[in-house]
Amino acid sequence: GPRCAAYNEVQATPVKRLCKSHSIITVNGQFPGPNIEVRNGDTLIITVSNRTPYNVTIHWHGIRQIRTAWADGPEFVTQCPVKPGGIYTYRFTIKDQEGTLWWHAHSSWLRATVYGALIIHPKEKKSYPFLPPKREYPILLGEWWDQNPIDVIHEAISTGSAPSISDAFTINGQPGDLYNCSTKGLIFIIKTSSFVDFSSLTTLKKMSISISEITIFPVNPGETILLRFINAALNTELFVSIAGHTMMVVAADASYVKPFLTTVIMLAPGQTTDVLITTSLPPSRYYIAARAYSSAESLPFDNTTATAILDYDCGCLPGPTQPPPAQPILPAFNDTLTVTAFSAAFKSPTPVKLPSPVDEHLFFTVGLGLFDCLPGQICGGPNHTRLTASINNVSFVLPYSSSLLQAHQLAVPGIFTTDFPAKPPVEFDYTGKNVGRELWQPEPATKLYKLKFGSVVQLVLQGTSIFAAENHPIHLHGYNFYILAEGFGNFDPARDTEKFNLIDPPLRNTVGVPMKGWAVIRFVADNPGVWLLHCHLDVHITWGLAMAFLVEDGVGELEALEPPPLDLPLC
Ligand code: C2O
C-alpha cells in the first residue's frame, strides 16, 4: 500500500507555559508533537533521531504491530533505547485498524511532552460508519509540570514517595484561560449532584485571556464535527465536557462503538474517544473543558481545569469585547457513578464472534503497595516504607542489560523467567482495608507469562486496596481485547460471570479497572512477541505495576515474529 515516511528529531526546545519558560523535550520542535495521519493498510516508516541527553523510545499506542513487535517501542521490552545521538527507524503496517490512536515516548517520564495523535483514516473509497463529518480535530489532553518531568519522577524514585502533582492540564498543549499563574487556578465548574464538599475551594477570578495559551477550534454553524479525544496525561483520568453540546460517542481506542449520547466523557490515560457534535447553537464561543476524575480517596491531585474554545465563525461575533465563552458543567472530582454509567454505555456496533472456548483463565491483582525500607534508603512512604506497585505480588523490573524481546529471540539466559503466576499467591479480601503488609510485600522480578500462539485468554483484573485504592487504567500492548464486564468488590465467579456481556462487548486496548473493583477481558494470543500489560498511570509503571506476556510463534511463516531490523539499538 502507500507508504508514509517521516524523519523525526527528538530534541530540547524552550516553551513558555503558565507564565514561565523552560526547556522540554519535543519532536521536531513541536509541542504536542506532529499529528500523523494515515490510512488503514499504510506502511509507516518513521525515523527517530535522538538529540536529547536521555534514552528515548517511541510507542505507537494501540497499533497491533502484527508480527512486528520490534517496532512496538517500550524500552527494555521490545527494544533497547535509542541512546543520545542515536537513530532508529520504526517500520510497521496498519492491518485492519482505523480510528484515533496516538504515539508517545516509552522511556521514563518523557511522554509528558513527547506525544502526538496517530489518526488512521479508512482505506481509500471506504468511509466511516456514520455520515461524513464536515471537519475533524484531534484533541490531546495533557499534563504539565512547571519543572522538567524527568526530575519530578527521579525525585520520587530516590525518596520512595509519590511524585509531585502536575501544575496544570493542557488541551493541545495549552492550559487555557481559566488558569491563574499566581494562584494555580482553582475551579468553578461544578455539577450540582456533587459528592464532595466544595466549600474549601475558592472561586477563581478570571485572568485576562492570553490567546497564546489557549487552543481555539474554529467551526461553522450547522456542521457535524468529529472530535478525536486522546488522554495523553501522565497520571490523571479526565472528564471532558463542551458547553451546551451533547456528544455522540462513535469510537474508542480505534474501535467503533454503538453510538450513544452523553454530555460528559471520561478518558483514562492511554484511552481515546471519538465523538460527533453538531454546531447547532447560536453563534458564540463555547468552552471545551477538562479536569480530573480522582477515584483515590485521600491522594492529592491536580484540581485545575484546562480549557479550549469551540469558536463558531460566522463573521458576526464582536471583536475583543466579546463575552466570555459559555461554560460547561463537569462532574465532581470523585463522581464514580458518572464514570461507571459512562463505561457501561460502551458496546460493539454489532454482535461479535467472541473467541471461545477459553484456554487460559488468569486472575491478576493490580494495585499499589509498600516496600519495607532497607538501611540507608530514603523512605518517603508512610511508616518508614517506600511506595511500590505490583501485579500478583510481582513488582515488575526492567532488565536494562537487554530487551526482553531480544533476549527471547536470541535465547539469552538470565534476563527473565517465565514463571509469572496465573493467580495471586494468597487469597484475601482484595478490596478491604487493613491487609497486613507482611502478607503482601511484593517481590521485585522480571517474570513473563508464556502463551501458546492462538490461545484464548480470559483475564480478571482485580483492583486491590493494600495501599490507596484507585482506578487503574490497564493497557495491553499488541492487542485489542473485549471487555466482558466490570464491577465493584472482590470478583466472585459464581455471582459475576452472569454479568458478562457475551453478545456485543466493546473492543479496546485500555480498560479502567474500577477503584475497589474488577474488570474481565478476553483476547486471542495471535500476535507473537513480548507484550507489556501495565497501568497507564506513569507513576504506577515506574513502581512496577506491569508484567509481560511472551506469545510464542505459531506454525508457519505467517504466524511467526519477523526477524529483527538491522538497526535495532543495543543496550
Ligand atoms: Cu501507551 Cu505502554 O503505553
Side-chain angles (χ1 to χ4, degrees), residues 130-137 217-227 242 244-248 275-284 286 309-315:
F130 40 81
L131 285 179
K134 255 272 145 51
R135 58 182 92 220
E136 306 186 4
Y137 288 114
F217 298 100
V219 295
N220 290 319
E223 292 180 338
T224 298
I225 306 193
L226 176 59
L227 301 176
I242 309 173
H245 293 74
T246 299
M247 296 175 266
M248 181 186 278
V275 308
L276 294 173
I277 58 165
T278 312
T279 51
S280 51
L281 293 185
S284 184
Y286 299 90
I309 293 175
L310 190 70
D311 196 350
Y312 284 36
D313 169 22
C314 64

Side-chain angles (χ1 to χ4, degrees), residues 17 25 27 67 119 201 216 226 240 247 394 421 431 467 512:
R17 290 291 183 286
I25 304 301
V27 173
R67 301 177 53 225
I119 292 166
L201 302 183
I216 295 178
L226 176 59
V240 184
M247 296 175 266
V394 181
T431 55
F467 176 72

Side-chain angles (χ1 to χ4, degrees), residues 255-411:
S255 291
Y256 293 111
V257 302
K258 186 173 282 175
F260 65 94
L261 296 173
T262 183
T263 54
V264 60
I265 60 174
M266 196 290 280
L267 296 93
Q271 294 183 320
T272 74
T273 303
D274 293 357
V275 308
L276 294 173
I277 58 165
T278 312
T279 51
S280 51
L281 293 185
S284 184
R285 299 182 307 147
Y286 299 90
Y287 271 133
I288 300 172
R291 74 165 186 203
Y293 162 53
S294 173
S295 60
E297 283 150 333
S298 54
L299 296 180
F301 62 95
D302 177 343
N303 63 7
T304 62
T305 302
T307 50
I309 293 175
L310 190 70
D311 196 350
Y312 284 36
D313 169 22
C314 64
C316 51
L317 297 176
T321 57
Q322 53 189 309
Q327 287 172 19
I329 294 165
L330 282 163
F333 296 116
N334 58 356
D335 188 350
T336 294
L337 283 183
T338 291
V339 172
T340 307
F342 178 65
S343 71
F346 283 83
K347 303 213 159 31
S348 277
T350 53
V352 302
K353 202 169 160 286
L354 203 61
S356 63
V358 173
D359 301 302
E360 296 267 2
H361 282 277
L362 304 177
F363 186 101
F364 289 0
T365 56
V366 297
L368 303 186
L370 303 166
F371 276 139
D372 279 333
C373 209
L374 301 174
Q377 280 185 320
I378 308 174
C379 302
N383 307 320
H384 206 61
T385 57
R386 296 172 64 86
L387 298 178
T388 183
S390 63
I391 301 182
N392 280 355
N393 214 27
V394 181
S395 190
F396 192 68
V397 179
L398 292 170
Y400 298 111
S401 60
S402 171
S403 80
L404 299 172
L405 190 60
Q406 281 160 298
H408 160 60
Q409 208 235 359
L410 300 170

Side-chain angles (χ1 to χ4, degrees), residues 110-134:
L110 278 180
R111 82 170 174 86
T113 58
V114 178
Y115 63 84
L118 172 45
I119 292 166
I120 311 165
H121 294 283
K123 288 191 170 158
E124 234 160 334
K125 302 205 182 85
K126 291 259 158 72
S127 52
Y128 300 127
F130 40 81
L131 285 179
K134 255 272 145 51

Side-chain angles (χ1 to χ4, degrees), residues 340 462 485-490 496 499 513-520:
T340 307
Q462 171 71 61
E486 288 172 38
F488 291 101
N490 296 322
D496 294 324
K499 297 178 189 151
V513 177
M515 175 186 68
K516 296 187 183 171
W518 49 268
V520 182

Side-chain angles (χ1 to χ4, degrees), residues 407-450:
H408 160 60
Q409 208 235 359
L410 300 170
V412 183
I415 304 291
F416 61 82
T417 56
T418 53
D419 56 346
F420 189 87
K423 58 182 175 49
V426 285
E427 272 181 47
F428 63 98
D429 177 9
Y430 306 112
T431 55
K433 288 225 156 118
N434 305 321
V435 174
R437 218 169 74 225
E438 62 293 345
L439 190 79
W440 203 256
Q441 242 323 358
E443 175 198 0
T446 310
K447 292 177 192 274
L448 275 51
Y449 192 91
K450 212 185 249 190

Side-chain angles (χ1 to χ4, degrees), residues 59-62 72-74 102-106 111 231 269-271 475-477 509-510 532-536 538 541:
H59 169 51
W60 318 93
H61 180 115
D72 191 43
W102 59 303
W103 56 267
H104 61 78
H106 213 299
R111 82 170 174 86
N231 187 348
Q271 294 183 320
H475 170 52
L476 176 58
H477 285 228
N509 64 47
T510 305
L532 206 53
L533 175 91
H534 66 88
C535 181
H536 216 284
D538 246 25
I541 186 172

